[in-house]
Amino acid sequence: MRSKNFVEYAILLLFKDKNDHLFSFLIFSFIVFILSSTLFISDSLQEDLLNSIKSQPEIVVENTRAGRAYAMHDGFIYDISKITGVSNVEGIVDGYHYFAQKRLWFHIIGDATLAKDEMIIGQGVKNAMAELYYNEEFHFFTEERMIRLKINKIAPKSTTIISNDAVYLHPNTARAVLGMEMDEYSKLYVSVPNPNEVGNVSLKIVEIYPSAKATTKEDAISAVHHLYYYKGGIFMILYVIALVSFFILLKNQISLVYGEKKKEIAILRSLGFCIKDIIALKFIQNTVVSVSAYLLGVAMAYIYVFMFNAPYLRNIFLGSELENSISFTPVIDVNLLFLIFLFGVVPFLAFVILPAWKIAISDMSEAVKS
């Protein structure tokens, strides 16, 4: 156990040489900030998407032709509803409408609770429409006619991750906007009460309709995990940038030890400091630098993501053409933050203490003379 005076001396030396440690402190804080911001955004988006998937039925069926989505009709609903284990099949109208005046795509979603002449729009859609003075109603231009609809209300900000580019319409109105026939559906929601039968039901659906794609809730959840884990391209790039920055930081730390600090270690040895004292001195100094930089980086990331909604960085992750006013749900994975601490602070200390120990056990006479 080191004395209080020894710790105070180490801190005094740290502040005396603060310019030498400032670069390391700022770089380390920036690395932790980038990694923590990435994890906060990733965890928040995953949480919201997983919650939306969990509210869906067990199987979502989509039909394809020539590799593209193709509409389904009532015959699909009848055949699938006859499969053992299926309790209900619901046809869904879902597609995209091109808003040519702003060169944007709106996600059209059928909602049977709405009247035929009204709609609910997301925050991003509201902003895009407002720029062209569509504040009370909006005109959909199709190949056959113009459809005038009243804007009923705006989807709440808490649902922006799902609803930012969405326009909710009565299913028949949605079909008219999307150019679909009245008995056509974009997707089928298949309810299977027994979880053990979900896999078999999805296989039977594909057997009946080989061109159909039956996605189970488990498959959808796995897809979200795959997208937002390290395998995702954006995350991989950010991790690589952080790693390169970290190695630059470690190189700077080694240079500090082997440069002017070599003479300082030699002087301390000549004053009676033993090897353990030298290592303890460096350990205390760099622990203060690395831990304070880590805490600052995490705190800045929390404020940046959850209080300011991650400006600039959120556009990289969300990739929407519409202005995105999303509010990130505060979700913190303590285990991943601990991993950042473990693989950040520990190598940082090791790359200082090991060179300091190597210098301390070498011949000090040459270093003192220089």
Side-chain angles (χ1 to χ4, degrees), residues 23 81 250:
F23 176 77
S81 64
L250 293 180

Side-chain angles (χ1 to χ4, degrees), residues 38-39 42-43 46-47 50 221-239 317 333 336:
T38 306
L39 291 173
S42 161
D43 290 342
Q46 274 194 79
E47 181 75 9
L50 291 177
I221 291 173
S222 298
V224 171
H225 284 310
H226 183 84
L227 177 64
Y228 287 101
Y229 275 174
Y230 68 93
K231 293 177 182 176
I234 293 174
F235 291 89
M236 198 66 194
I237 290 170
L238 287 172
Y239 293 148
F317 289 92
D333 190 334
L336 286 175

Side-chain angles (χ1 to χ4, degrees), residues 38-57:
T38 306
L39 291 173
F40 287 156
I41 293 174
S42 161
D43 290 342
S44 178
L45 293 177
Q46 274 194 79
E47 181 75 9
D48 289 342
L49 288 174
L50 291 177
N51 285 336
S52 70
I53 291 172
K54 287 173 184 173
S55 64
Q56 292 181 0

Side-chain angles (χ1 to χ4, degrees), residues 233-303:
I234 293 174
F235 291 89
M236 198 66 194
I237 290 170
L238 287 172
Y239 293 148
V240 169
I241 291 172
L243 279 177
V244 170
S245 304
F246 188 61
F247 281 114
I248 293 172
L249 171 64
L250 293 180
K251 183 177 179 297
N252 177 70
Q253 290 303 105
I254 294 173
S255 301
L256 278 179
V257 176
Y258 276 107
E260 291 294 323
K261 298 303 170 189
K262 185 175 181 180
K263 187 175 180 180
E264 180 186 299
I265 292 173
I267 293 172
L268 290 173
R269 286 294 311 279
S270 66
L271 291 174
F273 278 66
C274 65
I275 295 174
K276 286 183 180 179
D277 293 333
I278 300 293
I279 292 174
L281 194 69
K282 292 296 173 186
F283 179 80
I284 292 170
Q285 290 179 339
N286 287 280
T287 298
V288 171
V289 172
S290 57
V291 172
S292 58
Y294 171 82
L295 294 175
L296 178 65
V298 172
M300 287 176 60
Y302 186 92
I303 294 171

